[in-house]
Every structure is written in structure tokens, then in C-alpha cells.
Amino acid sequence: MISGDTATTDFPHRHLLGIEGLTPAEITFLLDRSETYVEQNRQPDKKRSVLRGRTVINLFFEASTRTRTSFELAGKRLGGDVINMSISGSSIKKGETLVDTAMTLNAMHPDVLVVRHADSGAVKLLSEKVNCAVINAGDGSHEHPTQALLDALTIRRRLGRLAGLQVAICGDILHSRVARSNIHLLTTMGARVRLIAPKTLIPYAAERLGVEVFHDMAEGLKDCDIVMMLRLQQERMKSNYFPSVREYFTYFGLDYEMLAHAKPDALIMHPGPMNRGVEIDSEVADDFYRSVIREQVEMGVAVRMAALEILAHNLEPLAETNL
Amino acid sequence: MAVKLDEPLGRVAYVNARILDPAEGWDGTGGVLTDGEKIAAAGPGLFDAGRPEDAKIIDCQGACLAPGLVDIRAHLGEPGEEQKETLASAGRAATAGGVTSLLCLPDTNPCIDDMSVVEFVARRARQLGLTKVYPYGAVTKQLAGKELAELKLLRDSGALAFTDGVRTIADPLVLRQALAYAATFGLVICHQAEEPSLAEGGVMNLGENSTRLGLAGIPREAEIIIIERDIRLVEMTGGRLHFVNVSTAESVEVIRRAKDRGLAITCDTAPPYFSLNEHAIGDYRTFAKLTPPLRDEDDRQAIVQAISDGVIDCVASDHTPQDEESKRLPFAQAASGGVGLQTLLPMTLELYHNGHLSLLKALDLVTRAPAALMAMDAGRLKPGAPADLVLFDPDRSWKVSSDVLLSKSKNSPFDGRPVQGMVLRTVIDGRTVHTHGA
């Protein structure tokens, strides 16, 4: 538990909407707090009470199983009341606007809203209309801050640092919020980031984000400590981002032959869900020593616990009688 | 003539020749020494100190010896239209025309949008041992202009560059993605610029003549609009685009400005567009029905000018065989295109004979320049390069007619025209594959 008023000075933000703009110290603080929950989550007794009396609403406008479950577990392990709302089916079809939904939920006095939305910027818009704290659980192609934090925690625990590492992010960077959050986090923390993809899947002026762009996977992987694969949505084929899955996998898929171009002990990461045989070969994904894909999932819960704890700490304190 | 691929080659000295190599700027008396399938030595004055004793001697009798011609655009009819042309008949016409390497278009049936078809065409051509054939891959599946073909897999199977043939990629988003995707791997896209909606139904150049003949016209703007649009897309994507069959004065002006801005744009034209104008149609001659259509005299002169000042990078034959059933029809119904493999050299030499270009510059357009554009190991007399040679007499005249054309189809827009420039011998990989009169 965070003692005294430290949280407000170590992380002086009401919301966690993105990584861009956070300082190295703030990121380090989030990671350090997450670290304490990793050990706790491995104990038989995982329950804490820092969110006792708090209401967390998981508001998902876009289908999600993994992230929603991870946030739900995080909230419950901290003793909060967690409600899941999937809006993709109900209100959207009834024509309620995003702002109306926000106002409606706000009237129920939640403490933290965890929001995912298919449109970039939607979570920010919602955060301006509510009185509670908001965590961005992914907005369009913009940001997915807790994913970048859990990736950073995974790397830091394995390699002991972030600064100076060479990280390759490979795949559909154009549409990826995971890539954007990771670029911001890793470059802020002093890691060097490379993007590897066909030109069609690299966003415009990507170099301006402080990264190097490669179109040849073997060349891009050279000397990398971390190989971060992204999910390739096969629907993108229809819009001519690439001609076929077999061509994509031949030149941009990660198998052992391709991985040999990275450092011999390079770690393999993937935010999931994976398309085996599309962007990543099964053998590589399941490599016992080098694939940290399942560890990423484990770190996810710890990171979300830390985020909930810190934002809740920054809220108005609860009166003792309410507890 | 029959080619025996398994015959041992040894060393051959081509002596007493006027050596022409645009890549080296050579024009002088000398020779070429080949060893097996490669050039061992070449240059003016090569055998001045004496002829090698162990080599077979071929006396060129003062004729011009140059790198074999490189033709970057020909329809070969196979697979799918064997009644118009086969790899064998095209190979005979090409070698008779001094063409030792050519790129064939993907609009066959099945079209070349799949690795297996690339390999089929390349293997069949290799077995014939005639002109070396390099297939283009399709830019889009089924040449339909909608979904990208497997460009990199096609490239790795042997496709040298990419095009949808005579079909323009009408959808700008598809071309944008194609250019960006191709740029990922440094691939070249060749594009015939003709806005389909403006060209639809048209059968000749739009102008006074189309009005007089009562034929529906294709405006120059159909070409210019696409070129202007494509230049924007190249600028946006960093892609590599080559315009084919450039035919109007304004097209070359637009391309000139884009090149001046440093964009990675190149272009070619074909002999009809610098040596004929729309009057070649005369009384509804369907052999003069081409894509793009023959333009007017001002356009033709602008194309000649653009060749001479380098805006147009090279010349291709645009060989398009059409059988009698496709051409002996009312003009509007007739198929488009003309054969060109045997007229590529004489028509290009016409630019030299008419004083527009030096002999070396004219040859450059059909040897070094197209080879460099497609990054081929061809088109020059460099030691170690494949021994692909053409021996020709630039002045000797002949008349284009169906009995000298070796293509299965005889639809030459130059039919009946007296031309200068006779191929005497064609050598591919050290083997003589054609001699005049043989």
C-alpha cells in the first residue's frame, strides 16, 4: 500500500490515459508499485483491501476477454466492487452517444472507470465528462498504456533494465495502440526502438516518434534484445496492406530462422491473442527459455492493480465511517 | 536455326568489328572474345596485337557488334493465346531482331499472378534456348486492379518487375498500397497510364481525324491525368514507378517536371509513338490501332525530343501479336496492338539516320538503359557479363512485310515500310542463335 501522500506527488494525475507525456520517474513509480503485486499474486492469499468501498466499472465498447478479465481480477484482488459493462451490444445499438453513456454512469458514482473504445481519443473525451478516475484500456489505434507497462515490467524483471536495450516491434504498427504506447514508454525510458513492417503497415512519419524503421526483418532484428510481435488482423489483407498470409509470414513472420538474426538470447514478446503461423511460428511462441508471452499476461494483473491503487489513492479519501 | 544447348562452346573471337557499347562509350574498330557463355574481353583495338590462337575466329567484316538488345515489354501469347504467338515463335522473331533478353507481360491466360506461372514461362523459354525471357509479375490478382498479388513471392520466383499490362490501375488507393508495398522490397511497378473511364469506348486519338473518320476518340487527358495522379502517389509513398508507352507531348512535360524534382520516376515509349502519327490509320488500317492510340504529329515530335533529351529513358518494342481474326474486323471491333520485336532495332536506328541521335545514344535506348532500369545483367560488353551480342549493319535496308516477320502474327504497324538496320548475327550466352539468311 502507498503510504501517506506519496502517490499524489509520485504520480500526480487523475487518469491514466496514455504513456505519452509521462516522465521516466512516473513510469518507474508505476513499475515499482506493480512489482510488489507480482509476488503477492503468487501467494495463496491474493486479497488486499486498498480498494475497499471503491467501485470500478469496466466499460468495454469493444470486445475483449483478456484485458477485461485482467482488470476485473486486479480490481477484485484489491477488494473493490467491480462491474463489467460491455456496450458493444446494447446502448450503441440504441443510439446513445458516448457522452450520454458517460453521464449515465457518472450518476452512479463510480470511483474508477476502465474504458476501451474502438475510436482513438474516445477515452479522453469520456474522461472529461466524469468525476471519477479513468484508465484507458485501449482507444482505437492510439494508446493502451497498461499493455506497455506490463511489457516494460516483463522486460525489466528479465533483463534488469530498460535503458540501452534494443527493442524491435514487428508487424501491423499502423493500426496498433500497443505499438504506440510501447514506443512512448521505451523511448522515454532510454531504450532504442525499431519498427519492422512492410511500408504499408508503418504509420506516416513514424521516424518522428524517435524510432528507426526497417522493411527487412533480418536487418531490423540484428542486435535486438527484445522481439515484440504484434497481432496481424487478416482482414487487413482486403485493404491491400499485404497480399497474402503466406507472403506475410515468409518475409515478416517470426520463426527460428528469422529469430537467429537477433541476439542469441533475445526475448520474444506478443501482446496476444496470437495468430500462430501468421505472424509467429508455434515453436518460437512456445520457446520455454525465450518466449515471455505468458509472463506478460501474469504481469498484466500486477500492473493493473498498481494503476488502480495509485489512481484510487489520488481520489478524495473515503470517510472512515464508510469503511 | 536449331540451338544445341549441350554443345561445348570454347573461346570465340569476333574480329574486325565496329565495336559499339553505349555503357562504355565505345565506337571503334575492335572485337569481342567470348569464353563459354561469358564475355572474356571486349573493346576497340582488342585484337590489334594479334588474334588468339585457341579461339574460333568469326570475321565481322566491319559490321557493328553491340550488346544484344534488351526489350522490356513484349506480349508472348503463351500460355493461353498460342494461336497468336508462342514462346518459340516469339523467340525466333526476337533473335532475328537482335533481342537477346526480354520481359514478357503478365496478361496471359492464366495470368502471371502466381509463382507457378512465373516458373512455367521462365522454364519453357529456357528450354528453347532462344531469347532470355523474364516474366513480369501482376501487380494485382487476376489483373483486376483490386487486390495485391504476392509481389515478393513472385519476385523471388523470378518476376523482374510488376505491371498489370495494358490495364491501368484505376483505383488510386490500390496503386498507393501497391507502390508502398513494392517499395518495402525495392520493386519496380510499370504502369500504362490511361484513365479507363475516359478511354472507354474510344478506338483512336480524339481529334479532328477521329471526327472525320467517325470513330470514338480517346483524349490525351486520359493519359495525362493518370500520370499526374501517379506522380503524387509516388511522392507520397516513396515508391518506384515506370510509365510505359508514353505518347503525348504533355505527358513528357509532366514527367520532366517530376524528374526535375528528384522523384524516382522513369518512362519509356515504343517505336510507333516516335515514328508514326494518327494518319497511319489512313483508311481504317487496323494494324495502326494501338494502345495508347497513335497521336498527332505534334505529339510525335515531342516524343522524339523527349527521347533526345533523356526524359524518356528507354524504348521497348511493346510487341503485341494479334492474329487475322482479331485484326480483320471493322476498326472499332479490331484488337489493339502491333508486333515489334523485329522492328525495334531499325525503328530505333531511324532516330540516328534522321539525325536526332548519335548511333551510340540510339543503341543505349535498347541496351544499357533498359537493362539498368530493370537491374539486369545484360546490355553491355563487360568482361564476365553474359555473351549476348548482336552483329548488324546499320545502313542495310529491308522492307517490313509479312514474309520476313517470324512472329506467328504479322500485325506490324510498319507493314510495307522500308527500314534501315539489318541484324546479321545474334549470339546468346556465347551461342549463335540467328544468322541472316540462315
Side-chain angles (χ1 to χ4, degrees), chain A residues 197-200 204 215-216 237-248 250-252, chain B residues 114-115 141 146-153 156 174 177 180-181 183-185 236-238:
Chain A
K199 252 188 148 169
T200 41
Y204 189 78
H215 303 304
D216 181 305
M237 209 167 82
K238 295 196 189 78
S239 311
N240 287 322
Y241 291 102
F242 61 98
S244 69
V245 166
R246 68 175 177 181
E247 172 147 326
Y248 186 85
T250 305
Y251 302 102
F252 292 99
Chain B
D114 188 85
M115 292 183 278
K141 288 169 189 158
K146 293 199 165 66
E147 289 174 60
L148 282 186
E150 294 174 315
L151 304 189
K152 180 60 170 161
L153 287 172
D156 288 352
V174 173
Q177 297 290 65
Y181 190 76
T184 303
F185 305 104
M236 176 183 183
T237 57

Side-chain angles (χ1 to χ4, degrees), chain B residues 248-249 252 256 297-307 312:
Chain B
T248 84
V252 292
R256 187 194 310 270
E297 182 56 15
D298 289 344
D299 290 306
R300 187 194 70 80
Q301 287 182 17
I303 297 297
V304 171
Q305 186 59 41
I307 290 172
I312 292 177

